[in-house]
Amino acid sequence: MTLKQVVNNVAEMPASKDAVVDIKNLSLTFQTADGPVYALSDVDLTINEGDFVSFIGPSGCGKTTLLRVIADLEKPTGGDISINGVSPEQARENRAYGYVFQAPALLPWRSIERNVTLPLEIMEISKEERIKRAHDALKLVELNGFEKKFPWQLSGGMQQRASIARALSFDADLLLMDEPFGALDEIVRDHLNEQLLKLWARTNKTVAFVTHSIPEAVYLSTKIVVMSPRPGRIIDVIETDFPRDRSLDIRETPEFLEIAHRVREGLRAGHSNDE
Amino acid sequence: MTPMKLDKFCLVGAIAALLALIFPLAGIDPDTGKQVAFVGDIPGLAIAMALCVIAGAAFTWLGVRTVISGAVILAVAVFGCSQAIATLYDYGVAGYAGTGFWLFIISLWAFVWRGIDVIANYRSLEMAKQQAANVIVPVAFGVWLLFVWEVVVSGFGVPQVLLPPPSMIGVRFVTSTDIMAADFYQTFVKAVLSGYVLGCGSAFVMAIAVDRVPFLKRGLLPLGNMVSALPIIGVAPIMVMWFGFDWQSKAAVIVIMTFFPMLVNTVTGLNAAGKLERDLMATYASGYWSTLFRLRLPAAMPFVFNALKINSTLALIGAIVAEFFGTPIVGMGFRISTEVGRMNIDMVWAEIALAALAGTVFYGAVAYIERKATSWHPSFRVRRH
């Protein structure tokens, strides 16, 4: 790999750099009535602990599929994948995943608090502990005070924050986010991106984040994975060296623009390949 | 202000009441060869008609805009209705109602229509007032229909065997409460409730099994479809032979009737949870039962309640029809079939009224529980901030 390896803030980097996700030669082919669809082909990727990895690419490039394979929601048809050294299925059984979907997917019959405690309930954690953790998680996403509200009483951005709180509540090793802010307007999105970064800096979680916004990907990530469609594959992996507690202002710096340019170039190359 | 607009309903009411004063009130008694009664002989009626003329004329010009004017119109109409009833029964006009009488009824109709219209369009931000208006409209409309039924049947002297007036049914209802209570207990409490609980409950459990076991879905659902198509008229006598004359055979008929709607709705409901929510549960490594209770059953509730509501009315129909094919000498269906034979049509109607009342209350109770249990559903949401 030809990666730009610049480590500025060594002190802020996690001490250990163990691979949380290790993918080798992974491929996934869907058999459909119109013939096979090559959703993923020859994917190699390592996600280290504490990484914030963004997957970017045009629709149909397999970025969501890759996330779903990591979460054991799809089975690969070839190659190897290990999460924390075990299979995705085993990792799922170990409750390693906090998944945030494109839509909030809150259960309408449960209050915000009880939505956040849902995974804890399934994991059979005691009631006092559940309520305490829900309270903490809601505080992280600045939703304290909304515990007793129902999802439909909250705005779209607040609902998505509640779903992030739900993913955080059980302290999963890996936070998987599939275009979580895709349906929100730019201002709310900026705000949530900022909050997400703070959260990531504070909790030191490993995050895999799917997006199709270049500024979002560059702003949030330590590692940007550029993907291209038909067949879905990785065409570039870019590591960034912004400090963990970066602000929105970095979007005006030359480094930011340079990385954004490289991402765009990668996306363009993937596209021309397609024609 | 827009140019003065005449209130058409009040105009019709005033003119009809005026004509009612002129046209003969009643027909001619064939025995005496004289008119049965005159408006002049009935002071209450004369006052009511005069009031209708005056109020009608006044509101034709003033227009009916406020709730108070609507209430005044309704009050005039109610007084008129009471006088019309008194005229029929106290002055012997029943069976001999003439053109004047019917014109008066038309006048009352116009006022009632206008009055209910005003209240139906009433909008208030105060919950209590709005709820009162929401209750008054259907009640007033129902009472008016009963009044028309009463007046038409009495006024034209319709034979009681064809259609008794509601007052007669009401009297029969009140004077035979002991029989009605026994019938209600036999048919509703014993047969309907037990059959309903058994039918809906077993179908619910079966739906979960069908959902879990694929071959049941392919094999049992079409079979259930066939069972639901069985005519209950054909099944009922067989059930009576199998389970005896008492309530058990009726409950069996109800089980057959209610089983399929519940089965189909629950199976559909169990698939109502979205893909995203299922994936979410999968990422938590939630087991089958955990997902069933935490996601799929709550999501299925609107469908389940739909079936419960459909079945609440089906169950009562099933029990009454099944009682036609053999029963101990008590029960609503039994009463209807025997009293028809004895030409006691008022008793038949009283039982029908009881069945309608029981069915409505039953349905209302299920709908109320539904509202409480699925208050999260978009159709019941109340914004509370």
Side-chain angles (χ1 to χ4, degrees):
Chain A
M1 277 190 277
T2 57
L3 297 179
K4 194 170 143 192
Q5 291 280 356
V6 188
V7 180
N8 269 0
N9 299 288
V10 180
E12 284 180 46
M13 284 297 195
S16 64
K17 291 278 273 178
D18 302 329
V20 176
V21 179
D22 197 12
I23 299 172
K24 280 195 187 72
N25 228 352
L26 186 88
S27 60
L28 172 56
T29 309
F30 291 114
Q31 297 299 340
T32 70
D34 301 331
V37 172
Y38 301 100
L40 292 171
S41 123
D42 277 338
V43 171
D44 287 290
L45 182 72
T46 309
I47 300 177
N48 292 320
E49 193 180 338
D51 266 355
F52 196 123
V53 180
S54 284
F55 297 88
I56 190 164
S59 36
C61 72
K63 52 195 193 300
T64 295
T65 308
L66 182 54
L67 209 62
R68 289 175 63 82
V69 170
I70 294 174
D72 189 39
L73 294 174
E74 307 283 357
K75 303 279 183 212
T77 47
D80 292 313
I81 173 167
S82 73
I83 313 292
N84 289 329
V86 296
S87 71
E89 190 176 355
Q90 195 67 50
R92 187 166 65 86
E93 300 287 334
N94 296 342
R95 273 99 189 211
Y97 305 118
Y99 207 120
V100 179
F101 295 89
Q102 273 165 308
L106 299 168
L107 306 184
W109 52 87
R110 284 174 168 249
S111 65
I112 294 300
E113 182 181 72
R114 294 203 57 235
N115 261 294
V116 175
T117 57
L118 174 73
L120 305 173
E121 238 175 74
I122 295 167
M123 294 161 200
E124 291 171 351
I125 287 162
S126 76
K127 192 169 181 191
E128 301 88 75
E129 180 68 14
R130 288 208 299 261
I131 290 176
K132 194 189 145 297
R133 287 215 211 164
H135 181 81
D136 294 346
L138 283 170
K139 206 166 181 179
L140 278 177
V141 297
E142 294 176 16
L143 270 182
N144 35 334
F146 292 92
E147 284 88 351
K148 302 295 171 217
K149 295 279 185 201
F150 281 85
W152 41 273
Q153 294 172 310
L154 267 56
S155 68
M158 288 161 100
Q159 289 184 24
Q160 196 54 280
R161 263 147 64 196
S163 83
I164 293 171
R166 180 176 59 191
L168 291 172
S169 68
F170 59 99
D171 210 26
D173 297 333
L174 189 54
L175 202 54
L176 304 169
M177 306 179 92
D178 184 4
E179 287 184 45
F181 310 136
L184 305 175
D185 68 70
E186 192 126 359
I187 296 164
V188 176
R189 200 173 173 146
D190 276 351
H191 180 64
L192 290 181
N193 278 341
E194 250 183 318
Q195 279 189 317
L196 181 61
L197 267 186
K198 276 189 202 152
L199 208 87
W200 170 66
R202 213 177 319 163
T203 56
N204 203 21
K205 277 205 184 306
T206 312
V207 184
F209 189 94
V210 168
T211 180
H212 48 221
S213 155
I214 296 172
E216 192 172 65
V218 181
Y219 171 58
L220 290 172
S221 321
T222 57
K223 197 185 243 181
I224 302 162
V225 178
V226 183
M227 297 182 73
S228 127
R230 282 173 292 269
R233 66 198 184 281
I234 294 175
I235 51 175
D236 198 3
V237 177
I238 306 162
E239 299 219 357
T240 70
D241 57 350
F242 297 111
R244 282 177 84 88
D245 56 343
R246 56 194 88 168
S247 74
L248 278 169
D249 300 334
I250 65 154
R251 293 193 297 191
E252 266 96 62
T253 62
E255 292 120 296
F256 186 95
L257 296 174
E258 193 190 317
I259 295 167
H261 179 74
R262 192 172 152 192
V263 173
R264 190 166 290 119
E265 285 297 305
L267 288 174
R268 198 168 292 155
H271 252 290
S272 61
N273 222 354
D274 188 38
E275 254 101 52
Chain B
M1 238 181 97
T2 48
M4 205 64 169
K5 226 176 118 189
L6 295 182
D7 192 305
K8 289 191 193 78
F9 279 96
C10 291
L11 186 64
V12 169
I15 293 173
L18 193 64
L19 291 176
L21 283 164
I22 302 164
F23 278 86
L25 176 70
I28 290 158
D29 188 336
D31 295 339
T32 59
K34 285 180 188 165
Q35 206 174 317
V36 176
F38 298 93
V39 177
D41 300 335
I42 312 166
L45 185 68
I47 291 168
M49 286 181 175
L51 264 178
C52 285
V53 174
I54 294 164
F59 282 111
T60 301
W61 289 109
L62 294 173
V64 189
R65 292 198 178 80
T66 59
V67 180
I68 294 174
S69 49
V72 170
I73 285 181
L74 273 187
V76 170
V78 168
F79 178 66
C81 290
S82 69
Q83 292 311 313
I85 297 282
T87 306
L88 281 177
Y89 293 122
D90 300 346
Y91 295 90
V93 179
Y96 296 100
T99 320
F101 185 82
W102 297 120
L103 280 167
F104 183 51
I105 300 300
I106 289 171
S107 167
L108 293 176
W109 163 77
F111 287 126
V112 169
W113 183 291
R114 196 70 186 89
I116 293 180
D117 187 45
V118 168
I119 295 173
N121 288 322
Y122 176 70
R123 293 287 174 274
S124 173
L125 290 175
E126 286 176 57
M127 278 291 265
K129 284 187 184 172
Q130 186 65 55
Q131 273 172 351
N134 291 351
V135 171
I136 288 171
V137 172
V139 168
F141 193 71
V143 171
W144 169 254
L145 285 184
L146 285 179
F147 170 77
V148 170
W149 176 358
E150 180 83 34
V151 166
V152 168
V153 169
S154 288
F156 285 120
V158 175
Q160 281 162 16
V161 176
L162 287 185
L163 186 66
S167 60
M168 193 174 165
I169 298 167
V171 168
R172 172 62 81 172
F173 195 106
V174 175
T175 51
S176 26
T177 41
D178 50 338
I179 298 175
M180 309 275 281
D183 290 348
F184 177 79
Y185 184 72
Q186 171 72 19
T187 304
F188 194 86
V189 179
K190 280 185 177 170
V192 170
L193 286 186
S194 54
Y196 182 78
V197 169
L198 262 174
C200 294
S202 56
F204 184 77
V205 173
M206 186 54 88
I208 291 170
V210 163
D211 179 75
R212 187 98 163 107
V213 187
F215 90 84
L216 283 180
K217 201 172 207 160
R218 299 224 188 99
L220 197 85
L221 274 190
L223 207 69
N225 214 333
M226 204 193 74
V227 171
S228 81
L230 292 179
I232 58 157
I233 303 282
V235 174
I238 294 168
M239 290 301 124
V240 171
M241 289 209 291
W242 284 3
F243 298 104
F245 281 127
D246 211 348
W247 62 271
Q248 291 88 343
S249 56
K250 282 80 207 170
V253 170
I254 295 169
V255 168
I256 292 172
M257 282 183 86
T258 57
F259 189 84
F260 194 69
M262 188 69 180
L263 181 70
V264 168
N265 271 287
T266 310
V267 167
T268 309
L270 285 171
N271 293 310
K275 179 157 181 356
L276 219 52
E277 284 78 5
R278 286 159 195 258
D279 281 349
L280 181 78
M281 296 305 267
T283 64
Y284 300 145
S286 168
Y288 170 79
W289 294 106
S290 165
T291 306
L292 182 70
F293 284 112
R294 294 202 171 87
L295 173 67
R296 302 179 69 207
L297 281 182
M301 276 306 132
F303 292 85
V304 171
F305 274 107
N306 239 346
L308 286 176
K309 286 195 288 188
I310 295 167
N311 284 345
S312 71
T313 44
L314 278 184
L316 196 59
I317 297 169
I320 290 174
V321 171
E323 283 184 2
F324 279 40
F325 297 95
T327 169
I329 51 161
V330 63
M332 288 154 80
F334 163 80
R335 196 73 55 206
I336 290 171
S337 60
T338 50
E339 296 296 327
V340 158
R342 296 162 64 186
M343 289 291 183
N344 284 333
I345 305 298
D346 53 344
M347 190 66 201
V348 174
W349 277 96
E351 291 283 353
I352 291 172
L354 177 66
L357 193 69
T360 308
V361 170
F362 192 22
Y363 184 92
V366 176
Y368 178 80
I369 297 169
E370 178 189 25
R371 256 186 125 75
K372 292 285 154 195
T374 59
S375 57
W376 52 271
H377 197 259
S379 52
F380 298 126
R381 274 173 199 174
V382 186
R383 269 208 175 260
R384 285 163 298 179
H385 278 293

